[in-house]
Amino acid sequence: MNQVIACIDGIGESAECICDAASWASLRLEAPLTLLHVLDKSQYPTETNLTGSIGLGARETLLEELAALDEQRGKLAREQGRLMLDAARERAVDDGIAEPQTLQRHGDLVDTLSELEADTRLLVFGRGGAGGALGHQVEAVIRALHRPMLVLPDAFTPPQRFLIAYDGSPTARKAVEMVTRSPLLQGIPCDLLIVGPSTHDVKMELKHAHEQLQQAGFEVNAEILAGDVEQTLLGEVDKRGAELLVMGAYGHSRIRQMLVGSTTSKLIKQTRVPLLLLR
C-alpha cells in the first residue's frame, strides 16, 4: 500500500487538475505516482457481435465492415488514452515527480481499481458530471474501495488551510486518526467542525478530536455549529478560506448503501474545493 494512483479520464483542465493534485500528494506522502487510464470495455468491447442487429438478408460483408469500424474505434480510443497519459506524465515531471509511471487498462474501472487496491495509498480522481467519463461511476468507486480518496472539482490549489467535517461517528474518528498519522496535511492549519446540537456528549467528542489533532502538531480551531449539515459545511469552507474539505466516507452496510450516504454524496456534487474521503 504505497502508491498514489491518479485516474486520468479526460483531457484539458480536468486532467491537469487531477495530475497536479496527484503530484502534490505524491510529494507530500513521498510515495510513487501512477497515472492510470481505463478504457471502458462497455463502450469499447474487444469483440463485437452484430448477429441479429441487422435484418434478415443483410450481407455478411456489411457485418464485417461494422465490426471493423468498431475495432478501429477501439484502436483510436486506446491511442487517445496513451496520448493523455503521455501528457499527464510530462505535467507530473514539471510538478516535480522524478519518475511517474503510466498504466493503461481495457476493462471495468471499479474492477481495475479493486485489483490495484492493495498497493494504493491514495486514489485521486475527478468527480465528473459534465461529460467526464468517471462522473457516473464516482459513487461506485467510493463504495468499492477501502482507501483514502481525493475527489476533485475542476480546479486544484495546494491547500493552505483545510476543514474537517466531524460528526463523532466511528468513521469520523478514524478519519481524524488518519489525518494525525499521515504527512499529507502536516503543518497546514485546520478547522474542526461539528454541525448539530451542542450537547455534552457532542462537546466531549469534539474535545477529544481537537486534542488528538493538537497532540499531532496541528493548529486547530474547533467549533460546533447549528444548521443544515451540507449547506453549513459548504458555507464555512468559503468563509474560512479552506482549500480542502476532509471527512469520513460513508460505510458499506446494506442500509448505508440504500441511503446512498446522503451527506457524502451531496458534498461530492456541491463542493467547490477538493474533498478528501478517509476510511
Side-chain angles (χ1 to χ4, degrees):
M1 189 177 72
N2 65 353
Q3 66 179 326
V4 175
I5 294 183
C7 293
I8 306 298
D9 67 315
I11 57 177
E13 293 182 1
S14 175
E16 292 177 357
C17 166
I18 294 168
C19 190
D20 290 346
S23 297
W24 168 81
S26 175
L27 292 170
R28 296 280 300 189
L29 294 170
E30 297 184 348
L33 172 60
T34 296
L35 305 162
L36 171 69
H37 176 257
V38 178
L39 193 64
D40 192 332
K41 66 180 180 182
S42 66
Q43 296 183 47
Y44 304 99
T46 53
E47 297 181 359
T48 303
N49 183 3
L50 295 172
T51 304
S53 299
I54 300 176
L56 293 174
R59 292 178 302 175
E60 184 177 342
T61 53
L62 181 55
L63 293 175
E64 292 174 351
E65 288 173 6
L66 290 172
L69 286 173
D70 271 353
E71 183 180 354
Q72 181 63 21
R73 181 169 167 263
K75 288 181 179 178
L76 289 173
R78 288 192 294 274
E79 181 60 26
Q80 183 188 40
R82 284 192 289 269
L83 292 173
M84 286 190 293
L85 287 174
D86 288 344
R89 179 169 49 207
E90 290 179 9
R91 190 171 183 91
V93 170
D94 289 343
D95 286 338
I97 305 299
E99 296 181 353
Q101 302 299 307
T102 62
L103 177 63
Q104 187 177 48
R105 291 283 185 87
H106 185 211
D108 179 79
L109 176 66
V110 174
D111 289 346
T112 299
L113 293 175
S114 296
E115 291 173 11
L116 299 171
E117 182 174 11
D119 197 36
T120 300
R121 186 167 181 181
L122 176 68
L123 177 64
V124 182
F125 57 90
R127 69 181 173 195
L134 195 62
H136 68 288
Q137 300 191 66
V138 168
E139 288 196 9
V141 170
I142 294 171
R143 292 188 188 286
L145 271 67
H146 296 259
R147 290 289 181 263
M149 304 178 200
L150 184 58
V151 187
L152 302 165
D154 297 327
F156 174 77
T157 300
Q160 303 302 308
R161 187 173 196 88
F162 68 97
L163 186 151
I164 301 176
Y166 190 72
D167 62 5
S169 66
T171 305
R173 292 178 202 147
K174 182 68 178 294
V176 167
E177 180 185 342
M178 292 178 73
V179 169
T180 63
R181 290 190 283 108
S182 171
L184 184 66
L185 299 173
Q186 282 291 335
I188 303 175
C190 72
D191 293 285
L192 177 69
L193 297 185
I194 290 181
V195 180
S198 183
T199 64
H200 174 73
D201 288 345
V202 171
K203 289 178 180 177
M204 291 298 100
E205 281 286 353
L206 184 67
K207 181 175 183 291
H208 177 66
H210 188 190
E211 289 174 348
Q212 271 189 290
L213 289 161
Q214 283 187 321
Q215 289 170 6
F218 286 91
E219 177 188 329
V220 190
N221 174 58
E223 294 184 51
I224 300 172
L225 301 174
D228 174 81
V229 175
E230 294 86 14
Q231 294 308 312
T232 299
L233 288 173
L234 293 171
E236 292 299 317
V237 165
D238 289 341
K239 177 181 175 182
R240 298 164 188 264
E243 291 156 316
L244 177 69
L245 178 59
V246 180
M247 64 182 295
Y250 38 67
H252 294 267
S253 70
R254 287 189 175 274
I255 293 177
R256 284 283 202 168
Q257 289 175 6
M258 286 188 289
L259 292 175
V260 200
S262 60
T263 296
T264 307
S265 299
K266 289 177 182 177
L267 288 174
I268 290 171
K269 296 172 183 176
Q270 297 178 33
T271 180
R272 292 186 292 274
V273 300
L275 179 60
L276 179 61
L277 298 175
L278 301 174
R279 297 293 187 190

